[in-house]
Amino acid sequence: MKPTGRDVDPQDRVFGQRVQKLRKEQGRTQAEFAAALGKTSSWMSQVERGIQPVQRMDLLQQIADGLGVSVQQLRPDAEGSGPSQHPAPLSLSNDLDETRRLISGHPALHTLLAGPGPVPEASRSTEALRKDVNDLWELTHAAQMAQVSALAVELLPELERAVRAAPNEAQPELFLLLSRAYQALSAAFVRQDEADAAWVAADRAIFAAERSGDPLHACAGVFRMTHAFVRLRSLGQAEHAAQVAIDALKAQDDRPPQALSVLGALHLALALVHARAGARTEAKGEITEARAIAAELGENRNDFNLEFGPVNVEIQAVSIAVDLGDAGEALDIGLALDAEGLSPERQGRLLMDLGRAHAQRRHGGEALDCLLRAETLAPETIQTHQAARAAIRELVLVAGANASHALLELAERADALD
């Protein structure tokens, strides 16, 4: 989890303030400067608040060049300059740059060119690899991106090598682990607004799932790809990807619970696509479809890390209603929910959307309470999510001179006023 408040390293805070000062002196917004660096405005906001440490020399140089200053001026404590410097340990970085760099190439070319052969003696057991994949998902759900990156850059090449060197009978399970690892990375990239990398990871997940012989995992990969397309604002591609998978699943005569989970999750993804396009009727129709599947399923499940079930459908219904401007409907649904059995991430998302709904209704106190509770459960959601930051900004503007200290402090933590 990213550091906040007193946990922020003073040097990182000073560095971020220096970047912000130089940027503002040039009359550039966070979004403009971030785009020039090939980053998101959310990432830039975290850098300027000190919660996104920048230790890699190549990235320091890029920021310095963008601001027209030397690395030494920007960060006096930096040792040396230029690309010859060794990168900082991954544990110091909260982004996914190293993982992004990894999937930009082929992680197992040496093994591929060497041809088939026995698994190298140094390879770990399938059980050990499975544990690491499970850990990767847990870290992704907890938004601990530094640890996600550190684990992924070691795990992915190992999985890619193992699956190519393993005997035929061992390959299906290894391909399945590879698919799950890429799905976790796709979900992580979406959370970091790295939508193009999320697309690449999802595509590799689908390919590996097909090789594993598990078509439902391939459908789960399509779910991840749909969300990547949404973040890319490619709503037509998102709709097509989700609809093709939905049609294929509906054509099956026998749908076990795992298939229902994927089908329901895809309907929720399609509801999001329609909501972002402003297609109110279509979005609500997909929520209705998902509700029917959840009722058939009869329980909350976490097949393929999708967290689909009756409660999660209603959480998504709250989010869709807020996106469509139906604050009253969102509050009616959300306030009646009991989400304690779900992950902190899901609970935090519900509270964030309830806060957004209260903000739309000008319920300042209730909105702030929901947003603060969401921050306690899932700080990343409130401090980096554009919708949360927009709601906080609106609350401050509406309150004006009467804005409470708690609201102003939240706005500062989320950098919602830049």
Side-chain angles (χ1 to χ4, degrees):
M1 210 169 282
K2 288 181 170 63
T4 58
R6 296 178 181 177
D7 296 330
V8 173
D9 188 304
Q11 288 186 338
D12 293 326
R13 190 188 301 277
V14 171
F15 170 78
Q17 291 171 345
R18 190 176 290 119
V19 171
Q20 184 182 64
K21 178 176 180 294
L22 291 167
R23 172 182 62 77
K24 287 185 173 180
E25 286 176 353
Q26 296 178 5
R28 302 164 78 179
T29 66
Q30 277 185 349
E32 290 169 344
F33 188 48
L37 297 176
K39 296 288 187 179
T40 64
S41 55
S42 174
W43 181 89
M44 197 71 248
S45 168
Q46 294 168 43
V47 168
E48 293 186 355
R49 285 178 284 153
I51 66 173
Q52 171 61 74
V54 178
Q55 303 289 351
R56 284 205 344 263
M57 189 55 66
D58 60 334
L59 189 51
L60 280 171
Q61 187 70 60
Q62 187 181 4
I63 295 173
D65 291 345
L67 294 170
V69 299
S70 68
V71 170
Q72 194 66 24
Q73 286 175 282
L74 192 61
R75 186 153 200 156
D77 61 311
E79 297 179 3
S81 61
S84 62
Q85 296 297 308
H86 295 293
L90 290 175
S91 59
L92 294 176
S93 176
N94 282 317
D95 60 34
L96 293 169
D97 276 5
E98 292 299 326
T99 309
R100 182 189 180 95
R101 186 176 291 108
L102 174 70
I103 69 170
S104 297
H106 195 299
L109 277 179
H110 287 291
T111 303
L112 189 63
L113 290 170
V119 180
E121 292 183 6
S123 292
R124 293 180 298 145
S125 68
T126 301
E127 182 60 35
L129 293 172
R130 185 184 303 109
K131 180 183 182 303
D132 275 358
V133 172
N134 291 338
D135 288 345
L136 190 65
W137 265 112
E138 288 186 12
L139 292 169
T140 298
H141 282 309
Q144 296 183 17
M145 298 306 171
Q147 292 88 337
V148 167
S149 192
L151 178 55
V153 296
E154 298 292 336
L155 176 61
L156 272 181
E158 186 175 9
L159 279 169
E160 292 275 15
R161 289 191 299 268
V163 77
R164 286 167 173 80
N168 290 339
E169 63 271 16
Q171 286 187 355
E173 186 170 7
L174 288 170
F175 269 118
L176 190 58
L177 290 177
L178 186 61
S179 177
R180 291 184 58 217
Y182 274 122
Q183 287 185 55
L185 283 185
S186 183
F189 280 123
V190 163
R191 293 189 65 166
Q192 292 288 84
D193 278 331
E194 299 279 357
D196 54 345
W199 180 0
V200 172
D203 187 63
R204 292 188 181 180
I206 294 168
F207 173 79
E210 183 178 351
R211 294 292 299 273
S212 78
D214 190 328
L216 289 181
H217 267 283
C219 293
V222 173
F223 171 86
R224 303 296 168 190
M225 184 173 283
T226 300
H227 279 273
F229 284 142
V230 169
R231 287 300 178 102
L232 284 167
R233 296 181 177 83
S234 299
L235 298 182
Q237 287 175 277
E239 179 180 2
H240 178 75
Q243 191 63 62
V244 167
I246 287 171
D247 291 344
L249 283 165
K250 284 187 172 180
Q252 302 302 305
D253 294 327
D254 180 34
R255 290 197 293 267
Q258 295 85 349
L260 290 174
S261 288
V262 183
L263 179 59
L266 284 163
H267 276 294
L268 292 181
L270 195 50
L272 174 64
V273 174
H274 289 313
R276 293 292 170 85
R280 180 183 302 271
T281 300
E282 290 81 357
K284 290 183 179 296
E286 295 301 327
I287 291 292
T288 299
E289 292 274 3
R291 281 192 177 116
I293 294 169
E296 183 179 352
L297 196 59
E299 61 178 334
N300 297 308
R301 299 173 62 94
N302 193 29
D303 300 304
F304 315 104
N305 292 93
L306 295 174
E307 284 193 287
F308 182 80
V311 174
N312 199 48
V313 170
E314 300 310 318
I315 288 177
Q316 189 67 21
V318 171
S319 184
I320 295 298
V322 176
D323 284 348
L324 293 173
D326 296 332
E329 179 182 342
L331 292 172
D332 286 344
I333 297 171
L335 294 176
L337 284 178
D338 179 7
E340 284 191 7
L342 298 181
S343 67
E345 175 193 14
R346 289 283 81 198
Q347 294 182 56
R349 179 56 196 253
L350 173 61
L351 285 166
M352 183 195 79
D353 286 327
L354 287 174
R356 292 171 60 208
H358 279 302
Q360 286 182 5
R361 297 291 292 270
R362 296 294 190 266
H363 301 160
E366 290 85 353
L368 177 59
D369 177 66
C370 286
L371 292 169
L372 288 174
R373 287 162 58 199
E375 185 186 32
T376 299
L377 283 169
E380 183 91 0
T381 299
I382 297 302
Q383 295 173 9
T384 65
H385 201 290
Q386 292 182 0
R389 295 171 70 197
I392 295 168
R393 185 184 305 115
E394 182 68 17
L395 288 173
V396 173
L397 291 175
V398 170
N402 296 320
S404 67
H405 288 299
L407 175 56
L408 293 175
E409 288 171 354
L410 176 62
E412 182 179 358
R413 290 194 295 276
D415 202 18
L417 302 181
D418 189 280

